[in-house]
């Protein structure tokens, strides 16, 4: 990774140096040409005026014209450079403008199949533009208060499933129901109000700790924010910050550690108090101490919610009510931890592999 970064950095540096050299040569040539033509023009004009062929006013007018033309060519190189930069920006803007506007309601190709579960998916299919199915005839029903864990190899469709639930992508076929109603009966805003999402790398805005927690609930009081932080095991470290809850976290939370950012994200999910909790590998990038604190906060939070958890470390989801093993966009295995271990399939192999790695470490 470091070698690849250095290679790309060297290429960028080389192209930048080449552009500067060409621009410098162009500017130098223009300056030399302008100076030479101006000196020659003055010399010839002086000779013509001394012989009465031309008057001083005509010379001044011609000098002004010559200066304007020379200035045009002098600025041409700078203009071309700025034009290329603007065209690159225009490509990015065009790409953004070409994106379809998000629909107000969740679009579904089918609406006739749903049940009274908190979340239900039936024969859902989804693929990106490369024509490879990421979600393949997936059916899933999650009951109120149930904790469902999703595991499986990378590229199995786990994170894509969350995007479908939150309305960032939409299934090409199949149906989705939430709280016993077709997803198409909900606006996108309503669907996202029903779910609290804690990703692996939570996004913190460039503001204070208090502001970042309060984004989970508009108009949250200081008391509610502090209570949420306590439940997320974040209150103690926040109090030890230089300005407590008024401490600036920096863009994307750069002034905080991974564990601290994660606990603030959990506090934000707690104060939102949504019906559904979505956790996408929320502890996989943390050290052991941070993981223990974050996992404790998550356990308290999941105890009261309908939770769907994507897990990398299988030890964190052993107590889940149900574990789904996703492979190639479909559910390959499902059951409790003990049932899947006894089955001896994909889950058992993943668990045994992690157990050996942890033992070696």
């Amino acid at each position: 990774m470091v070698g690849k970064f250095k290679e790309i950095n060297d290429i960028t540096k080389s192209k930048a140096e080449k552009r500067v050299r060409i621009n410098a040569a162009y500017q130098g040539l223009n300056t030399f040409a302008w100076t030479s033509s101006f000196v020659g023009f003055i010399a010839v004009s002086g000779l013509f005026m001394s012989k009465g062929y031309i008057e001083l006013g005509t010379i001044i007018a011609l000098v002004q014209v010559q200066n304007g033309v020379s200035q045009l060519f002098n600025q041409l190189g700078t203009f071309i450079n700025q034009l290329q930069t603007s065209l690159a920006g225009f490509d990015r803007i065009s790409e953004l403008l070409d994106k379809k506007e998000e629909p107000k309601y969740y679009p579904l190709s089918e609406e006739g199949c749903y049940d009274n579960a908190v979340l239900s998916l039936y024969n859902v299919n989804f693929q990106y533009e490369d024509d490879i199915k990421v979600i393949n005839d997936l059916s899933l029903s999650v009951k109120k208060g149930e904790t469902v864990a999703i595991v499986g190899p990378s590229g199995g469709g786990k994170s894509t499933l969350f995007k479908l639930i939150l309305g960032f992508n939409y299934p090409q076929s199949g149906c989705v129901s939430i709280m016993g109603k077709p997803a198409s009966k909900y606006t996108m805003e309503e669907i996202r109000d029903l779910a609290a999402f804690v990703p692996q790398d939570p996004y913190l805005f460039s503001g204070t700790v208090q502001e970042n927690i309060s984004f989970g609930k508009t108009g949250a009081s200081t008391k509610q924010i502090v209570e949420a932080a306590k439940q997320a095991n974040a209150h103690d470290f926040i109090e030890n910050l230089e300005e407590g809850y008024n401490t600036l976290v920096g863009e994307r939370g750069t002034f905080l550690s991974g564990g601290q950012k994660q606990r603030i994200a959990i506090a934000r999910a707690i104060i939102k108090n949504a019906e559904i909790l979505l956790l996408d590998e929320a502890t996989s990038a943390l050290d052991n101490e941070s993981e223990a604190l974050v996992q404790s906060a998550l356990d308290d939070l999941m105890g009261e919610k309908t939770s769907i958890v994507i897990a990398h470390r299988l030890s964190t989801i052993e107590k889940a009510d149900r574990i789904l093993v996703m492979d190639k966009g479909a559910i390959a295995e499902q059951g409790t931890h003990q049932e899947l271990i006894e089955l001896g399939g994909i889950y058992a192999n993943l668990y045994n592999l992690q157990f050996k790695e942890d033992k070696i470490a």
Side-chain angles (χ1 to χ4, degrees):
M1 180 62 73
V2 175
K4 186 176 181 180
F5 172 79
K6 187 177 183 302
E7 180 184 353
I8 295 174
N9 197 45
D10 289 342
I11 292 172
T12 304
K13 178 185 175 184
S14 176
K15 289 184 177 180
E17 289 176 345
K18 182 179 179 181
R19 178 177 61 82
V20 170
R21 284 196 296 269
I22 292 173
N23 191 53
Y26 184 85
Q27 293 293 343
L29 181 62
N30 273 347
T31 301
F32 176 76
W34 176 81
T35 303
S36 300
S37 64
F38 181 75
V39 171
F41 181 81
I42 293 299
V44 173
S45 297
L47 178 63
F48 282 9
M49 190 176 68
S50 65
K51 294 186 177 183
Y53 296 154
I54 194 171
E55 296 180 357
L56 179 61
T58 304
I59 295 175
I60 293 174
L62 290 174
V63 167
Q64 291 300 317
V65 172
Q66 192 250 5
N67 282 341
V69 173
S70 298
Q71 188 177 17
L72 172 64
F73 282 98
N74 276 334
Q75 293 179 347
L76 186 60
T78 303
F79 171 76
I80 292 173
N81 184 38
Q82 291 177 342
L83 178 63
Q84 290 176 333
T85 304
S86 299
L87 287 175
F90 178 74
D91 288 340
R92 291 192 290 271
I93 292 173
S94 297
E95 182 180 348
L96 179 63
L97 293 176
D98 288 341
K99 288 184 178 295
K100 293 182 180 179
E101 186 176 350
E102 184 178 79
K104 183 177 180 179
Y105 289 88
Y106 193 105
L108 278 180
S109 57
E110 301 175 35
E111 297 186 3
C113 43
Y114 60 92
D115 57 29
N116 292 321
V118 170
L119 176 68
S120 180
L121 294 88
Y122 181 74
N123 287 349
V124 168
N125 290 279
F126 175 78
Q127 64 187 40
Y128 292 103
E129 296 178 358
D130 55 9
D131 294 331
I132 298 175
K133 278 191 176 182
V134 183
I135 301 295
N136 187 14
D137 286 330
L138 187 142
S139 295
L140 167 66
S141 183
V142 183
K143 299 175 183 178
K144 184 175 179 62
E146 187 178 18
T147 297
V148 175
I150 302 176
V151 302
S154 297
K158 302 184 295 296
S159 294
T160 301
L161 175 60
F162 273 17
K163 291 179 182 179
L164 292 178
I165 295 171
L166 292 167
F168 297 123
N169 294 122
Y170 326 114
Q172 276 95 22
S173 63
C175 50
V176 180
S177 70
I178 302 173
M179 310 301 291
K181 290 168 52 180
S184 56
K185 301 297 182 183
Y186 293 96
T187 65
M188 291 299 185
E189 183 178 357
E190 288 171 338
I191 285 177
R192 290 162 192 166
D193 282 342
L194 287 170
F197 179 45
V198 181
Q200 178 180 351
D201 183 19
Y203 192 97
L204 298 187
F205 296 91
S206 182
T208 66
V209 172
Q210 179 166 330
E211 288 170 341
N212 273 278
I213 296 176
S214 68
F215 283 131
K217 181 181 179 181
T218 304
S221 66
T222 301
K223 182 179 179 181
Q224 290 174 317
I225 291 170
V226 172
E227 185 59 33
K230 288 179 178 178
Q231 292 180 44
N233 286 333
H235 178 71
D236 290 342
F237 92 77
I238 293 173
E239 285 289 283
N240 289 328
L241 295 175
E242 186 175 348
E243 296 184 47
Y245 283 83
N246 292 319
T247 301
L248 294 173
V249 302
E251 187 67 36
R252 296 185 66 91
T254 51
F255 300 155
L256 303 176
S257 69
Q260 290 172 335
K261 288 194 294 183
Q262 202 66 276
R263 279 177 276 170
I264 288 177
I266 293 170
R268 190 159 58 194
I270 290 171
I271 203 169
K272 186 174 183 180
N273 195 29
E275 295 286 343
I276 303 170
L277 179 64
L278 304 176
L279 305 174
D280 189 356
E281 303 195 48
T283 63
S284 64
L286 305 179
D287 56 60
N288 291 334
E289 182 179 356
S290 296
E291 181 186 1
L293 290 168
V294 170
Q295 191 60 49
S296 175
L298 289 175
D299 289 341
D300 292 339
L301 180 59
M302 288 188 294
E304 304 172 359
K305 301 292 180 184
T306 302
S307 306
I308 304 176
V309 185
I310 294 176
H312 172 72
R313 297 184 183 178
L314 304 185
S315 59
T316 63
I317 46 94
E318 291 181 7
K319 297 179 181 179
D321 298 316
R322 188 157 41 113
I323 299 172
L324 309 180
V325 182
M326 285 190 67
D327 187 25
K328 298 179 182 177
I331 297 175
E333 301 170 5
Q334 64 176 306
T336 64
H337 168 74
Q338 192 58 42
E339 289 171 347
L340 293 175
I341 291 294
E342 292 173 358
L343 184 63
I346 299 173
Y347 180 84
N349 290 334
L350 289 172
Y351 186 83
N352 291 332
L353 181 62
Q354 282 194 14
F355 181 75
K356 289 179 182 178
E357 290 177 348
D358 292 342
K359 194 172 181 180
I360 292 172

